[in-house]
Amino acid sequence: IKEQLEADTVTVFDASGDGRHVCIDVVSKAFEGKSAVNRQRMVYKVIWEELQSTVHAVDQMTTKTPGEAAGN
């Protein structure tokens, strides 16, 4: 995620303890000018292979630009 979206930060939390359910927080300048839905689509595109095998579900996803993350 970090490489493909040129993200400042990426946090993936294993919500289930077995890697099947995760929460993802991403801060990237690539999200600037994008709607919340399109930002999530960008992340899902990057993790598509993991969703086919290891990860069963993304329970929560937060996508912010650096300005939003800084509170601007």
Side-chain angles (χ1 to χ4, degrees), residues 1 11-16 20-26 40 43-44 47 55 57-64:
I1 297 172
T11 305
V12 178
F13 173 73
D14 182 356
S16 60
R20 306 273 299 147
H21 290 255
V22 297
C23 298
I24 303 172
D25 296 319
V26 184
Q40 289 185 358
V43 175
Y44 277 116
I47 64 169
V55 177
V58 176
D59 291 348
Q60 179 180 344
M61 184 186 304
T62 305
T63 57
K64 296 182 179 181

Side-chain angles (χ1 to χ4, degrees), residues 10-72:
V10 175
T11 305
V12 178
F13 173 73
D14 182 356
S16 60
D18 62 2
R20 306 273 299 147
H21 290 255
V22 297
C23 298
I24 303 172
D25 296 319
V26 184
V27 176
S28 173
K29 63 184 174 199
F31 296 144
E32 291 180 8
K34 305 282 193 296
S35 69
V37 170
N38 283 333
R39 293 175 182 194
Q40 289 185 358
R41 285 180 181 152
M42 292 167 70
V43 175
Y44 277 116
K45 184 176 179 180
V46 172
I47 64 169
W48 184 250
E49 283 190 34
E50 285 81 4
L51 288 172
Q52 304 309 306
S53 57
T54 308
V55 177
H56 172 71
V58 176
D59 291 348
Q60 179 180 344
M61 184 186 304
T62 305
T63 57
K64 296 182 179 181
T65 65
E68 292 167 344
N72 296 339

